[in-house]
Amino acid sequence: MEKTIVLASGNEGKAREFRAILEPLGFKIVLQKELGIDSPEETGKSFLENAMIKAYYAAEKSGMWALADDSGLCVDALNGAPGIYSARYSSVDGEHGDDKANNAKLLDDLKNVPNGKRTARYYCALCLVRHKDDPVPLTVLASWEGAIGYKEIGANGFGYDPLFEVTGRNCTAAQLPPQIKNLISHRGRALQALTYKIEHNLF
Amino acid sequence: MEKTIVLASGNEGKAREFRAILEPLGFKIVLQKELGIDSPEETGKSFLENAMIKAYYAAEKSGMWALADDSGLCVDALNGAPGIYSARYSSVDGEHGDDKANNAKLLDDLKNVPNGKRTARYYCALCLVRHKDDPVPLTVLASWEGAIGYKEIGANGFGYDPLFEVTGRNCTAAQLPPQIKNLISHRGRALQALTYKIEHNLF
């Protein structure tokens, strides 16, 4: 029997990534907005807590399994900022900012930080719950090491990708082909770890 | 430099287990009650969420790294109960019940459940945070398979251990010597996984 999972995200790009990996395992992915489900406030202190808040909310509203992700960028010279506020970093009203404004703010915040001190990493937390009171949510956290450059380079990806110089590769995340990014990125590896746990029934 | 970790637990038995494993790694363990820190309400829906609530609370109150665990027993025939309510299963006022009353209630709930249908597992979630707003808490979840017997056997351990027949061993958890239990139990393996992550700096 095919199992349906509600994806607690409105992002079509993420939905595509999740479908590509989870549908071959026998899961059907529906977006929460297709079911008329809104998004809860992300009041958590960590990527993981925010992913849990979103997954439990979607499970409660849908009565189905629900999967949520929460991800962001932590810059060492900024003491971990923008962190869980990555999507709303340049925002003044607490709503999601746009990528251009977020990237501009990040460059400005780092304008006096020299090469070698601009290290950063992306994080992705995933949470899969089977019902609204699931005592053992399936969770993973993965990270991706890099450094923040001096200008936007590359047209793929989204968010801070044009500024994120991937450690060990002579390019930014926005210069990677999607299929390569999906293999090595924070979200790609989090999904691989989640898949492993689902396949081995590690709830 | 020795790093101090506040243990968000009042249980001396647990403190002993945590000290035995973490002090050789250069950590000093203090109990939150030694610092005059109380316990927050455990309002989470999962072991992991409760561990996170307790760890963040202790980090906020102490300004130090904080470690919390939350654990319990899920019985398949009871649809996962007592689950996150394991410690207060027999309680009428929401406070922690005592082991004897909890075990008696569990036996009663299972009185019509035959051999072979009494499978269960212990879970242990751990959460370590480095400050009150840590965006990437270090978390682990481990489980331990068994079945619920028909009477209490054994004098070691605590909680449901005298009823918990360990899969693959001809005894209950309460019959295991502590050093063996600490190797193979849900909490022992969760601590081993946490240790691995700390040693490899997998935040």
Side-chain angles (χ1 to χ4, degrees), chain A residues 45-49 52 56 60 74 80 83-84 121 123 132-137 139 141 143 203, chain B residues 45-49 52 56 60 74 80 83-84 121 123 130 132-137 139 141 143 203:
Chain A
K45 294 183 167 187
S46 61
F47 300 113
L48 182 57
E49 191 180 354
M52 289 166 74
Y56 277 99
E60 181 172 0
C74 289
I84 59 170
R121 64 202 55 75
Y123 284 102
K132 74 177 175 63
D133 298 309
D134 192 343
V136 285
T139 62
L141 180 74
S143 60
F203 287 96
Chain B
K45 293 183 165 188
S46 60
F47 300 113
L48 182 57
E49 191 180 354
M52 290 166 73
Y56 277 99
E60 181 172 359
C74 288
I84 58 169
R121 65 201 56 73
Y123 284 102
R130 294 162 296 173
K132 73 178 177 63
D133 298 309
D134 192 342
V136 286
T139 62
L141 180 74
S143 61
F203 286 97

mmCIF file of all heavy atoms in Angstrom, chain A residues 45-49 52 56 60 74 80 83-84 121 123 132-137 139 141 143 203, chain B residues 45-49 52 56 60 74 80 83-84 121 123 130 132-137 139 141 143 203:
data_model
loop_
_atom_site.group_PDB
_atom_site.id
_atom_site.type_symbol
_atom_site.label_atom_id
_atom_site.label_comp_id
_atom_site.label_asym_id
_atom_site.label_seq_id
_atom_site.Cartn_x
_atom_site.Cartn_y
_atom_site.Cartn_z
ATOM 1 N N LYS A 45 13.855 27.331 18.914
ATOM 2 C CA LYS A 45 15.186 27.905 19.106
ATOM 3 C C LYS A 45 16.222 27.224 18.234
ATOM 4 O O LYS A 45 17.377 27.630 18.202
ATOM 5 C CB LYS A 45 15.609 27.747 20.569
ATOM 6 C CG LYS A 45 14.778 28.550 21.528
ATOM 7 C CD LYS A 45 15.311 28.400 22.928
ATOM 8 C CE LYS A 45 14.679 29.456 23.823
ATOM 9 N NZ LYS A 45 15.297 29.459 25.152
ATOM 10 N N SER A 46 15.835 26.131 17.588
ATOM 11 C CA SER A 46 16.784 25.356 16.792
ATOM 12 C C SER A 46 16.124 24.942 15.488
ATOM 13 O O SER A 46 14.896 24.954 15.362
ATOM 14 C CB SER A 46 17.227 24.108 17.561
ATOM 15 O OG SER A 46 16.112 23.274 17.828
ATOM 16 N N PHE A 47 16.937 24.598 14.500
ATOM 17 C CA PHE A 47 16.413 24.065 13.246
ATOM 18 C C PHE A 47 15.511 22.857 13.539
ATOM 19 O O PHE A 47 14.422 22.715 12.978
ATOM 20 C CB PHE A 47 17.564 23.646 12.325
ATOM 21 C CG PHE A 47 18.499 24.768 11.968
ATOM 22 C CD1 PHE A 47 19.807 24.784 12.419
ATOM 23 C CD2 PHE A 47 18.067 25.830 11.193
ATOM 24 C CE1 PHE A 47 20.670 25.822 12.101
ATOM 25 C CE2 PHE A 47 18.920 26.880 10.863
ATOM 26 C CZ PHE A 47 20.226 26.872 11.319
ATOM 27 N N LEU A 48 16.002 22.000 14.427
ATOM 28 C CA LEU A 48 15.259 20.780 14.726
ATOM 29 C C LEU A 48 13.904 21.091 15.364
ATOM 30 O O LEU A 48 12.878 20.508 14.985
ATOM 31 C CB LEU A 48 16.092 19.907 15.665
ATOM 32 C CG LEU A 48 15.499 18.563 16.059
ATOM 33 C CD1 LEU A 48 15.198 17.723 14.827
ATOM 34 C CD2 LEU A 48 16.470 17.816 16.968
ATOM 35 N N GLU A 49 13.887 22.029 16.302
ATOM 36 C CA GLU A 49 12.622 22.347 16.961
ATOM 37 C C GLU A 49 11.626 22.932 15.951
ATOM 38 O O GLU A 49 10.436 22.590 15.973
ATOM 39 C CB GLU A 49 12.853 23.322 18.118
ATOM 40 C CG GLU A 49 11.626 23.477 19.005
ATOM 41 C CD GLU A 49 11.838 24.448 20.169
ATOM 42 O OE1 GLU A 49 12.968 24.920 20.366
ATOM 43 O OE2 GLU A 49 10.842 24.723 20.860
ATOM 44 N N MET A 52 10.219 20.157 13.917
ATOM 45 C CA MET A 52 9.249 19.391 14.705
ATOM 46 C C MET A 52 7.915 20.143 14.787
ATOM 47 O O MET A 52 6.845 19.544 14.635
ATOM 48 C CB MET A 52 9.816 19.115 16.102
ATOM 49 C CG MET A 52 10.962 18.103 16.092
ATOM 50 S SD MET A 52 11.925 18.031 17.642
ATOM 51 C CE MET A 52 10.783 17.181 18.725
ATOM 52 N N TYR A 56 4.568 18.263 13.305
ATOM 53 C CA TYR A 56 3.441 17.899 14.181
ATOM 54 C C TYR A 56 2.177 18.667 13.801
ATOM 55 O O TYR A 56 1.071 18.126 13.849
ATOM 56 C CB TYR A 56 3.795 18.139 15.659
ATOM 57 C CG TYR A 56 4.582 16.993 16.270
ATOM 58 C CD1 TYR A 56 5.959 17.054 16.391
ATOM 59 C CD2 TYR A 56 3.935 15.840 16.705
ATOM 60 C CE1 TYR A 56 6.681 15.996 16.937
ATOM 61 C CE2 TYR A 56 4.636 14.784 17.259
ATOM 62 C CZ TYR A 56 6.016 14.871 17.374
ATOM 63 O OH TYR A 56 6.718 13.813 17.908
ATOM 64 N N GLU A 60 -1.254 16.873 12.642
ATOM 65 C CA GLU A 60 -2.500 17.102 13.370
ATOM 66 C C GLU A 60 -3.600 17.550 12.414
ATOM 67 O O GLU A 60 -4.739 17.061 12.481
ATOM 68 C CB GLU A 60 -2.278 18.168 14.448
ATOM 69 C CG GLU A 60 -3.537 18.447 15.254
ATOM 70 C CD GLU A 60 -3.269 19.352 16.452
ATOM 71 O OE1 GLU A 60 -2.109 19.762 16.661
ATOM 72 O OE2 GLU A 60 -4.245 19.632 17.173
ATOM 73 N N CYS A 74 24.839 29.169 9.229
ATOM 74 C CA CYS A 74 25.478 29.689 10.438
ATOM 75 C C CYS A 74 26.889 30.154 10.089
ATOM 76 O O CYS A 74 27.708 29.365 9.615
ATOM 77 C CB CYS A 74 25.540 28.619 11.528
ATOM 78 S SG CYS A 74 23.932 28.212 12.246
ATOM 79 N N GLY A 80 27.281 32.490 14.635
ATOM 80 C CA GLY A 80 26.206 31.568 14.254
ATOM 81 C C GLY A 80 25.051 32.209 13.508
ATOM 82 O O GLY A 80 24.174 31.515 13.000
ATOM 83 N N GLY A 83 21.596 31.875 11.189
ATOM 84 C CA GLY A 83 21.034 30.738 11.905
ATOM 85 C C GLY A 83 19.577 30.472 11.563
ATOM 86 O O GLY A 83 19.192 30.470 10.389
ATOM 87 N N ILE A 84 18.762 30.274 12.599
ATOM 88 C CA ILE A 84 17.355 29.938 12.344
ATOM 89 C C ILE A 84 16.587 31.116 11.746
ATOM 90 O O ILE A 84 15.451 30.955 11.316
ATOM 91 C CB ILE A 84 16.631 29.438 13.621
ATOM 92 C CG1 ILE A 84 16.676 30.491 14.728
ATOM 93 C CG2 ILE A 84 17.234 28.135 14.099
ATOM 94 C CD1 ILE A 84 15.772 30.156 15.919
ATOM 95 N N ARG A 121 28.575 27.280 7.744
ATOM 96 C CA ARG A 121 27.996 25.991 7.333
ATOM 97 C C ARG A 121 26.486 26.097 7.251
ATOM 98 O O ARG A 121 25.851 26.844 7.988
ATOM 99 C CB ARG A 121 28.403 24.839 8.254
ATOM 100 C CG ARG A 121 27.939 24.904 9.697
ATOM 101 C CD ARG A 121 28.797 24.059 10.588
ATOM 102 N NE ARG A 121 30.177 24.454 10.430
ATOM 103 C CZ ARG A 121 30.685 25.589 10.950
ATOM 104 N NH1 ARG A 121 29.933 26.396 11.681
ATOM 105 N NH2 ARG A 121 31.920 25.897 10.734
ATOM 106 N N TYR A 123 22.922 24.177 7.637
ATOM 107 C CA TYR A 123 22.315 23.075 8.372
ATOM 108 C C TYR A 123 20.948 22.740 7.784
ATOM 109 O O TYR A 123 20.239 23.644 7.317
ATOM 110 C CB TYR A 123 22.109 23.434 9.850
ATOM 111 C CG TYR A 123 23.355 23.407 10.687
ATOM 112 C CD1 TYR A 123 24.011 24.586 11.031
ATOM 113 C CD2 TYR A 123 23.881 22.208 11.152
ATOM 114 C CE1 TYR A 123 25.156 24.565 11.816
ATOM 115 C CE2 TYR A 123 25.024 22.186 11.937
ATOM 116 C CZ TYR A 123 25.656 23.363 12.260
ATOM 117 O OH TYR A 123 26.793 23.342 13.040
ATOM 118 N N LYS A 132 -0.122 12.820 15.196
ATOM 119 C CA LYS A 132 0.059 14.088 15.899
ATOM 120 C C LYS A 132 0.680 13.932 17.292
ATOM 121 O O LYS A 132 1.171 14.907 17.864
ATOM 122 C CB LYS A 132 -1.278 14.841 15.995
ATOM 123 C CG LYS A 132 -2.269 14.264 16.998
ATOM 124 C CD LYS A 132 -3.519 15.124 17.064
ATOM 125 C CE LYS A 132 -4.577 14.534 17.961
ATOM 126 N NZ LYS A 132 -4.189 14.416 19.385
ATOM 127 N N ASP A 133 0.649 12.711 17.849
ATOM 128 C CA ASP A 133 1.244 12.486 19.164
ATOM 129 C C ASP A 133 2.414 11.513 19.106
ATOM 130 O O ASP A 133 2.757 10.881 20.111
ATOM 131 C CB ASP A 133 0.182 11.949 20.140
ATOM 132 C CG ASP A 133 -0.941 12.936 20.349
ATOM 133 O OD1 ASP A 133 -0.640 14.106 20.650
ATOM 134 O OD2 ASP A 133 -2.115 12.550 20.196
ATOM 135 N N ASP A 134 3.013 11.374 17.934
ATOM 136 C CA ASP A 134 4.101 10.409 17.757
ATOM 137 C C ASP A 134 5.203 10.650 18.804
ATOM 138 O O ASP A 134 5.834 11.706 18.813
ATOM 139 C CB ASP A 134 4.674 10.583 16.342
ATOM 140 C CG ASP A 134 5.605 9.447 15.959
ATOM 141 O OD1 ASP A 134 6.072 8.716 16.857
ATOM 142 O OD2 ASP A 134 5.874 9.284 14.755
ATOM 143 N N PRO A 135 5.452 9.667 19.688
ATOM 144 C CA PRO A 135 6.461 9.898 20.736
ATOM 145 C C PRO A 135 7.893 9.817 20.217
ATOM 146 O O PRO A 135 8.815 10.247 20.892
ATOM 147 C CB PRO A 135 6.181 8.781 21.745
ATOM 148 C CG PRO A 135 5.595 7.681 20.939
ATOM 149 C CD PRO A 135 4.817 8.334 19.823
ATOM 150 N N VAL A 136 8.050 9.234 19.016
ATOM 151 C CA VAL A 136 9.408 9.082 18.481
ATOM 152 C C VAL A 136 9.485 9.601 17.053
ATOM 153 O O VAL A 136 9.558 8.836 16.092
ATOM 154 C CB VAL A 136 9.912 7.622 18.568
ATOM 155 C CG1 VAL A 136 10.278 7.297 20.000
ATOM 156 C CG2 VAL A 136 8.871 6.624 18.068
ATOM 157 N N PRO A 137 9.471 10.930 16.897
ATOM 158 C CA PRO A 137 9.638 11.496 15.567
ATOM 159 C C PRO A 137 10.976 11.056 14.999
ATOM 160 O O PRO A 137 11.955 10.925 15.725
ATOM 161 C CB PRO A 137 9.650 13.003 15.838
ATOM 162 C CG PRO A 137 10.135 13.126 17.247
ATOM 163 C CD PRO A 137 9.518 11.944 17.953
ATOM 164 N N THR A 139 14.095 12.005 13.235
ATOM 165 C CA THR A 139 14.765 13.284 12.997
ATOM 166 C C THR A 139 16.182 13.079 12.492
ATOM 167 O O THR A 139 16.840 12.096 12.846
ATOM 168 C CB THR A 139 14.843 14.128 14.285
ATOM 169 O OG1 THR A 139 15.616 13.425 15.256
ATOM 170 C CG2 THR A 139 13.455 14.424 14.832
ATOM 171 N N LEU A 141 19.781 15.663 11.348
ATOM 172 C CA LEU A 141 20.401 16.981 11.169
ATOM 173 C C LEU A 141 21.670 16.759 10.359
ATOM 174 O O LEU A 141 22.462 15.886 10.689
ATOM 175 C CB LEU A 141 20.747 17.614 12.516
ATOM 176 C CG LEU A 141 21.406 18.994 12.439
ATOM 177 C CD1 LEU A 141 20.379 20.058 12.048
ATOM 178 C CD2 LEU A 141 22.038 19.370 13.780
ATOM 179 N N SER A 143 24.905 18.888 8.048
ATOM 180 C CA SER A 143 25.536 20.184 7.795
ATOM 181 C C SER A 143 26.420 20.115 6.552
ATOM 182 O O SER A 143 26.709 19.030 6.032
ATOM 183 C CB SER A 143 26.349 20.627 9.010
ATOM 184 O OG SER A 143 27.371 19.683 9.292
ATOM 185 N N PHE A 203 12.561 3.785 13.542
ATOM 186 C CA PHE A 203 11.765 4.740 14.323
ATOM 187 C C PHE A 203 12.052 4.551 15.811
ATOM 188 O O PHE A 203 12.516 3.512 16.217
ATOM 189 C CB PHE A 203 10.269 4.522 14.041
ATOM 190 C CG PHE A 203 9.870 5.002 12.669
ATOM 191 C CD1 PHE A 203 9.795 4.130 11.608
ATOM 192 C CD2 PHE A 203 9.600 6.344 12.452
ATOM 193 C CE1 PHE A 203 9.445 4.575 10.356
ATOM 194 C CE2 PHE A 203 9.242 6.794 11.193
ATOM 195 C CZ PHE A 203 9.168 5.897 10.132
ATOM 196 N N LYS B 45 5.538 16.388 23.092
ATOM 197 C CA LYS B 45 4.795 15.249 22.559
ATOM 198 C C LYS B 45 5.689 14.050 22.329
ATOM 199 O O LYS B 45 5.222 12.977 21.968
ATOM 200 C CB LYS B 45 4.155 15.638 21.219
ATOM 201 C CG LYS B 45 3.076 16.684 21.352
ATOM 202 C CD LYS B 45 2.450 16.972 20.013
ATOM 203 C CE LYS B 45 1.139 17.722 20.210
ATOM 204 N NZ LYS B 45 0.406 17.846 18.957
ATOM 205 N N SER B 46 6.997 14.257 22.458
ATOM 206 C CA SER B 46 7.939 13.175 22.172
ATOM 207 C C SER B 46 9.028 13.174 23.235
ATOM 208 O O SER B 46 9.238 14.166 23.941
ATOM 209 C CB SER B 46 8.574 13.370 20.791
ATOM 210 O OG SER B 46 9.272 14.604 20.727
ATOM 211 N N PHE B 47 9.728 12.050 23.361
ATOM 212 C CA PHE B 47 10.878 11.981 24.259
ATOM 213 C C PHE B 47 11.872 13.084 23.902
ATOM 214 O O PHE B 47 12.405 13.775 24.769
ATOM 215 C CB PHE B 47 11.556 10.612 24.140
ATOM 216 C CG PHE B 47 10.654 9.456 24.479
ATOM 217 C CD1 PHE B 47 10.245 8.545 23.518
ATOM 218 C CD2 PHE B 47 10.199 9.270 25.787
ATOM 219 C CE1 PHE B 47 9.416 7.484 23.832
ATOM 220 C CE2 PHE B 47 9.375 8.216 26.110
ATOM 221 C CZ PHE B 47 8.974 7.316 25.132
ATOM 222 N N LEU B 48 12.105 13.241 22.607
ATOM 223 C CA LEU B 48 13.085 14.215 22.155
ATOM 224 C C LEU B 48 12.676 15.639 22.537
ATOM 225 O O LEU B 48 13.495 16.430 23.013
ATOM 226 C CB LEU B 48 13.245 14.092 20.635
ATOM 227 C CG LEU B 48 14.266 15.011 19.991
ATOM 228 C CD1 LEU B 48 15.651 14.832 20.602
ATOM 229 C CD2 LEU B 48 14.317 14.749 18.482
ATOM 230 N N GLU B 49 11.401 15.949 22.329
ATOM 231 C CA GLU B 49 10.959 17.313 22.653
ATOM 232 C C GLU B 49 11.090 17.575 24.158
ATOM 233 O O GLU B 49 11.522 18.655 24.568
ATOM 234 C CB GLU B 49 9.511 17.524 22.180
ATOM 235 C CG GLU B 49 9.090 18.993 22.233
ATOM 236 C CD GLU B 49 7.658 19.205 21.774
ATOM 237 O OE1 GLU B 49 7.006 18.248 21.299
ATOM 238 O OE2 GLU B 49 7.173 20.351 21.912
ATOM 239 N N MET B 52 14.647 18.228 24.948
ATOM 240 C CA MET B 52 15.032 19.570 24.498
ATOM 241 C C MET B 52 14.523 20.637 25.471
ATOM 242 O O MET B 52 15.244 21.571 25.829
ATOM 243 C CB MET B 52 14.505 19.821 23.083
ATOM 244 C CG MET B 52 15.227 18.994 22.015
ATOM 245 S SD MET B 52 14.378 18.949 20.406
ATOM 246 C CE MET B 52 14.684 20.597 19.796
ATOM 247 N N TYR B 56 17.300 23.086 27.293
ATOM 248 C CA TYR B 56 17.310 24.532 27.056
ATOM 249 C C TYR B 56 17.007 25.304 28.339
ATOM 250 O O TYR B 56 17.574 26.366 28.589
ATOM 251 C CB TYR B 56 16.316 24.912 25.943
ATOM 252 C CG TYR B 56 16.886 24.729 24.554
ATOM 253 C CD1 TYR B 56 16.592 23.604 23.801
ATOM 254 C CD2 TYR B 56 17.740 25.678 24.000
ATOM 255 C CE1 TYR B 56 17.127 23.431 22.534
ATOM 256 C CE2 TYR B 56 18.277 25.517 22.735
ATOM 257 C CZ TYR B 56 17.963 24.390 21.998
ATOM 258 O OH TYR B 56 18.500 24.219 20.755
ATOM 259 N N GLU B 60 19.555 27.949 30.008
ATOM 260 C CA GLU B 60 19.152 29.334 30.233
ATOM 261 C C GLU B 60 19.393 29.745 31.688
ATOM 262 O O GLU B 60 19.915 30.831 31.967
ATOM 263 C CB GLU B 60 17.675 29.510 29.873
ATOM 264 C CG GLU B 60 17.194 30.940 30.049
ATOM 265 C CD GLU B 60 15.784 31.165 29.519
ATOM 266 O OE1 GLU B 60 15.186 30.207 28.989
ATOM 267 O OE2 GLU B 60 15.306 32.303 29.643
ATOM 268 N N CYS B 74 7.474 1.967 25.456
ATOM 269 C CA CYS B 74 6.337 1.916 24.532
ATOM 270 C C CYS B 74 5.944 0.461 24.319
ATOM 271 O O CYS B 74 6.761 -0.348 23.868
ATOM 272 C CB CYS B 74 6.711 2.557 23.193
ATOM 273 S SG CYS B 74 6.867 4.362 23.266
ATOM 274 N N GLY B 80 1.603 1.969 22.036
ATOM 275 C CA GLY B 80 2.709 2.855 22.379
ATOM 276 C C GLY B 80 2.702 3.364 23.813
ATOM 277 O O GLY B 80 3.670 3.971 24.258
ATOM 278 N N GLY B 83 4.576 5.275 27.015
ATOM 279 C CA GLY B 83 5.257 6.292 26.211
ATOM 280 C C GLY B 83 5.855 7.415 27.045
ATOM 281 O O GLY B 83 6.500 7.165 28.075
ATOM 282 N N ILE B 84 5.597 8.644 26.611
ATOM 283 C CA ILE B 84 6.197 9.786 27.329
ATOM 284 C C ILE B 84 5.586 9.965 28.717
ATOM 285 O O ILE B 84 6.075 10.766 29.496
ATOM 286 C CB ILE B 84 6.061 11.109 26.524
ATOM 287 C CG1 ILE B 84 4.600 11.435 26.214
ATOM 288 C CG2 ILE B 84 6.872 11.038 25.242
ATOM 289 C CD1 ILE B 84 4.399 12.838 25.661
ATOM 290 N N ARG B 121 9.378 -1.667 23.732
ATOM 291 C CA ARG B 121 10.759 -1.161 23.678
ATOM 292 C C ARG B 121 10.893 0.076 24.561
ATOM 293 O O ARG B 121 9.965 0.857 24.707
ATOM 294 C CB ARG B 121 11.241 -0.891 22.246
ATOM 295 C CG ARG B 121 10.507 0.208 21.497
ATOM 296 C CD ARG B 121 10.678 0.051 20.000
ATOM 297 N NE ARG B 121 10.226 -1.282 19.600
ATOM 298 C CZ ARG B 121 8.938 -1.653 19.551
ATOM 299 N NH1 ARG B 121 7.961 -0.796 19.848
ATOM 300 N NH2 ARG B 121 8.620 -2.884 19.239
ATOM 301 N N TYR B 123 12.789 3.635 25.089
ATOM 302 C CA TYR B 123 13.444 4.693 24.315
ATOM 303 C C TYR B 123 14.198 5.622 25.259
ATOM 304 O O TYR B 123 13.742 5.861 26.394
ATOM 305 C CB TYR B 123 12.417 5.535 23.550
ATOM 306 C CG TYR B 123 11.853 4.873 22.313
ATOM 307 C CD1 TYR B 123 10.587 4.287 22.326
ATOM 308 C CD2 TYR B 123 12.582 4.845 21.136
ATOM 309 C CE1 TYR B 123 10.069 3.689 21.188
ATOM 310 C CE2 TYR B 123 12.065 4.245 19.989
ATOM 311 C CZ TYR B 123 10.809 3.675 20.019
ATOM 312 O OH TYR B 123 10.299 3.085 18.892
ATOM 313 N N ARG B 130 24.635 24.036 24.048
ATOM 314 C CA ARG B 130 25.815 24.789 24.494
ATOM 315 C C ARG B 130 25.451 26.164 25.037
ATOM 316 O O ARG B 130 26.230 26.793 25.718
ATOM 317 C CB ARG B 130 26.810 24.881 23.346
ATOM 318 C CG ARG B 130 27.377 23.503 22.980
ATOM 319 C CD ARG B 130 28.006 23.508 21.617
ATOM 320 N NE ARG B 130 27.015 23.786 20.582
ATOM 321 C CZ ARG B 130 27.308 23.975 19.308
ATOM 322 N NH1 ARG B 130 28.557 23.908 18.910
ATOM 323 N NH2 ARG B 130 26.358 24.213 18.430
ATOM 324 N N LYS B 132 21.583 28.901 25.630
ATOM 325 C CA LYS B 132 20.122 28.880 25.667
ATOM 326 C C LYS B 132 19.481 29.055 24.290
ATOM 327 O O LYS B 132 18.308 28.759 24.112
ATOM 328 C CB LYS B 132 19.598 29.943 26.636
ATOM 329 C CG LYS B 132 19.720 31.390 26.134
ATOM 330 C CD LYS B 132 19.136 32.370 27.147
ATOM 331 C CE LYS B 132 19.307 33.812 26.722
ATOM 332 N NZ LYS B 132 18.617 34.182 25.487
ATOM 333 N N ASP B 133 20.248 29.550 23.312
ATOM 334 C CA ASP B 133 19.697 29.717 21.959
ATOM 335 C C ASP B 133 20.416 28.843 20.940
ATOM 336 O O ASP B 133 20.409 29.154 19.743
ATOM 337 C CB ASP B 133 19.803 31.187 21.537
ATOM 338 C CG ASP B 133 18.997 32.101 22.435
ATOM 339 O OD1 ASP B 133 17.806 31.800 22.647
ATOM 340 O OD2 ASP B 133 19.548 33.097 22.935
ATOM 341 N N ASP B 134 21.067 27.798 21.402
ATOM 342 C CA ASP B 134 21.833 26.928 20.501
ATOM 343 C C ASP B 134 20.964 26.463 19.321
ATOM 344 O O ASP B 134 19.970 25.768 19.517
ATOM 345 C CB ASP B 134 22.324 25.710 21.300
ATOM 346 C CG ASP B 134 23.373 24.904 20.545
ATOM 347 O OD1 ASP B 134 23.479 25.070 19.327
ATOM 348 O OD2 ASP B 134 24.068 24.107 21.197
ATOM 349 N N PRO B 135 21.321 26.848 18.081
ATOM 350 C CA PRO B 135 20.477 26.447 16.943
ATOM 351 C C PRO B 135 20.643 24.977 16.553
ATOM 352 O O PRO B 135 19.817 24.447 15.828
ATOM 353 C CB PRO B 135 20.965 27.359 15.809
ATOM 354 C CG PRO B 135 22.384 27.663 16.146
ATOM 355 C CD PRO B 135 22.455 27.694 17.659
ATOM 356 N N VAL B 136 21.716 24.350 17.042
ATOM 357 C CA VAL B 136 21.944 22.948 16.677
ATOM 358 C C VAL B 136 22.215 22.102 17.919
ATOM 359 O O VAL B 136 23.344 21.687 18.189
ATOM 360 C CB VAL B 136 23.088 22.802 15.649
ATOM 361 C CG1 VAL B 136 22.602 23.257 14.291
ATOM 362 C CG2 VAL B 136 24.308 23.621 16.028
ATOM 363 N N PRO B 137 21.150 21.827 18.683
ATOM 364 C CA PRO B 137 21.311 20.934 19.825
ATOM 365 C C PRO B 137 21.808 19.576 19.342
ATOM 366 O O PRO B 137 21.421 19.122 18.267
ATOM 367 C CB PRO B 137 19.889 20.812 20.372
ATOM 368 C CG PRO B 137 19.010 21.070 19.185
ATOM 369 C CD PRO B 137 19.745 22.134 18.413
ATOM 370 N N THR B 139 21.490 15.898 19.505
ATOM 371 C CA THR B 139 20.427 15.002 19.969
ATOM 372 C C THR B 139 20.673 13.577 19.516
ATOM 373 O O THR B 139 21.252 13.345 18.448
ATOM 374 C CB THR B 139 19.046 15.428 19.426
ATOM 375 O OG1 THR B 139 19.058 15.349 17.996
ATOM 376 C CG2 THR B 139 18.688 16.842 19.858
ATOM 377 N N LEU B 141 18.601 9.506 19.797
ATOM 378 C CA LEU B 141 17.494 8.673 20.270
ATOM 379 C C LEU B 141 17.925 7.232 20.103
ATOM 380 O O LEU B 141 18.413 6.851 19.036
ATOM 381 C CB LEU B 141 16.226 8.933 19.445
ATOM 382 C CG LEU B 141 14.999 8.117 19.849
ATOM 383 C CD1 LEU B 141 14.414 8.637 21.160
ATOM 384 C CD2 LEU B 141 13.925 8.160 18.758
ATOM 385 N N SER B 143 16.867 2.974 21.186
ATOM 386 C CA SER B 143 15.802 2.101 21.698
ATOM 387 C C SER B 143 16.377 0.759 22.129
ATOM 388 O O SER B 143 17.514 0.422 21.816
ATOM 389 C CB SER B 143 14.710 1.924 20.643
ATOM 390 O OG SER B 143 15.236 1.327 19.476
ATOM 391 N N PHE B 203 28.551 18.690 15.973
ATOM 392 C CA PHE B 203 27.444 19.594 16.295
ATOM 393 C C PHE B 203 26.812 20.078 15.002
ATOM 394 O O PHE B 203 27.449 20.080 13.961
ATOM 395 C CB PHE B 203 27.948 20.760 17.128
ATOM 396 C CG PHE B 203 28.255 20.353 18.541
ATOM 397 C CD1 PHE B 203 29.552 20.048 18.900
ATOM 398 C CD2 PHE B 203 27.260 20.250 19.489
ATOM 399 C CE1 PHE B 203 29.848 19.658 20.186
ATOM 400 C CE2 PHE B 203 27.557 19.855 20.783
ATOM 401 C CZ PHE B 203 28.853 19.563 21.139
#
